[in-house]
Amino acid sequence: METGTSTSNSGNSRNDSYETIKNGSWFNQFRNGCNPWMARYVYGLIFLIANLLAWAARDYGRRALNKVTKFKNCKEGENCLGTEGVLRVSLGCFLFYFVMFLSTLGTSKTHSPRDKWHSGWWSAKLIMWPALTIIPFLLPSTIILLYGELAHFGAGVFLLIQLISVISFITWLNECYQSQKDAERCHLRVMLLATTSYTVCIVGVILMYIWYAPDSSCLLNIFFITWTLFLIQLMTSIALHPKVNAGYLTPALMGLYVVFICWCAIRSEPVGENCNRKAAASNRTDWLTIISFVVALLAMVIATFSTGIDSQCFQFKKDVCSEGEEEEVEEDGVPYGYGFFHFVFATGAMYFAMLLIGWNTHHPMKKWTIDVGWTSTWVRIVNEWVAVCVYIWMLMAPIVLKTRRQRASGT
């Protein structure tokens, strides 16, 4: 009896300790040693270092030529630098997170062996990560190029996960505003945010016409921008349909998202195109180019990190934002899906490789550039169109499913 009581007390004390760490500051999470909140930042740091290694292999790998020639599959360093260097570092990063994905998939309880493996054992991981990074440099080029082809698919999966995460966040934000008790004040906030979003969308479209469609010969850019404007109108019309009644906020925020994707797509067009004056202006490497590259790299790492901890966007049961109606969570449940977290980082490793090589294994990239090339442009454009399709389906799905149920019950 005493043993059972002591076990229960120790379990409660561990849960209380985890709760204290969870509700504490960012510094407190690190100060209290191995825990899942601290671990996610460490994994994010590892991912950032892998990005920097891949960039260094592409832009400054020639300086390490004497070192990489020691690997027999490098052929005097040529196959371990540039595009293949990026792919080899990416493969090592992918292997690390994929091993972590397989070993933590299905973890549901804190203080379990797999939870401890995810949150601790850093000595073993500091050996495993460099080892898995070195192994791809021992592989022949055929395997690396095959991985490069597979990375296109993995990067697409990452973009899809990120897309669903963004749309889920927009929907969640709209539901939070609608669930507030003060309906009048909430309505004013929604209208203000929606109006601001639509204004930014219009300004963004006008600037893209000025910067990237200076004359009538820029037909492709005119099509991209005009079609984006049409998609914003389409999403707004469907959202405001009486049967859907999704309000102004979600189509406005989605409009911001698709305008941003369209801008990124046109920015990815190769330097030297007559319709991309901004790219031509930044042809030389200056501080602005370097800062833009660093910001883009950090943004990609942050996007991977935020998507990785958002496993709830793939759950059918959602949190309720109303006061006093919060979803009950098990005391010893994990704070986020460990398996999903590592899976996102594994696909993110493929994604950063595609950005650094312009989605083309045979496309040379200039220094301090990221996601440049016609392949990158079309990937962004297709991503924009898929985003609109997924958003419209999320609006229409409840109506379609309800109609099918009514027909089934009537027959």
Side-chain angles (χ1 to χ4, degrees), residues 218-252:
C218 304
L219 295 178
L220 187 59
N221 286 355
I222 292 174
F223 167 71
F224 287 159
I225 301 168
T226 306
W227 187 251
T228 299
L229 193 60
F230 168 76
L231 293 177
I232 296 173
Q233 178 61 42
L234 178 64
M235 291 188 295
T236 303
S237 300
I238 295 176
L240 296 180
H241 192 278
K243 290 186 178 181
V244 178
N245 195 24
Y248 288 95
L249 185 58
T250 56

Side-chain angles (χ1 to χ4, degrees), residues 134-310:
I134 293 173
I135 287 175
F137 286 90
L138 305 176
L139 301 177
S141 295
T142 52
I143 296 179
I144 300 302
L145 294 177
L146 176 61
Y147 168 76
E149 297 301 322
L150 295 176
H152 286 83
F153 173 75
V157 172
F158 174 82
L159 286 174
L160 182 61
I161 294 174
Q162 186 183 55
L163 167 64
I164 295 175
S165 178
V166 170
I167 296 177
S168 297
F169 171 75
I170 292 173
T171 306
W172 169 84
L173 184 64
N174 185 56
E175 291 176 352
C176 281
Y177 272 114
Q178 291 180 351
S179 64
Q180 297 296 324
K181 290 186 177 181
D182 193 345
E184 184 176 352
R185 182 183 298 179
C186 174
H187 182 70
L188 292 175
R189 292 176 180 175
V190 169
M191 289 301 296
L192 178 61
L193 183 56
T195 302
T196 303
S197 299
Y198 278 120
T199 303
V200 174
C201 287
I202 294 173
V203 172
V205 168
I206 293 174
L207 290 177
M208 284 193 291
Y209 274 122
I210 296 173
W211 289 340
Y212 305 116
D215 53 65
S216 58
S217 63
C218 304
L219 295 178
L220 187 59
N221 286 355
I222 292 174
F223 167 71
F224 287 159
I225 301 168
T226 306
W227 187 251
T228 299
L229 193 60
F230 168 76
L231 293 177
I232 296 173
Q233 178 61 42
L234 178 64
M235 291 188 295
T236 303
S237 300
I238 295 176
L240 296 180
H241 192 278
K243 290 186 178 181
V244 178
N245 195 24
Y248 288 95
L249 185 58
T250 56
L253 295 177
M254 279 299 299
L256 278 179
Y257 184 58
V258 297
V259 167
F260 173 74
I261 296 177
C262 180
W263 174 77
C264 291
I266 298 177
R267 285 279 298 179
S268 295
E269 292 177 359
V271 175
E273 297 297 323
N274 295 328
C275 298
N276 196 345
R277 293 180 176 177
K278 287 288 181 180
S282 61
N283 191 16
R284 69 183 189 279
T285 301
D286 53 14
W287 282 107
L288 182 59
T289 305
I290 295 174
I291 292 173
S292 299
F293 173 83
V294 173
V295 170
L297 192 67
L298 291 176
M300 197 274 294
V301 174
I302 293 172
T304 307
F305 178 84
S306 59
T307 305
I309 61 177
D310 188 25

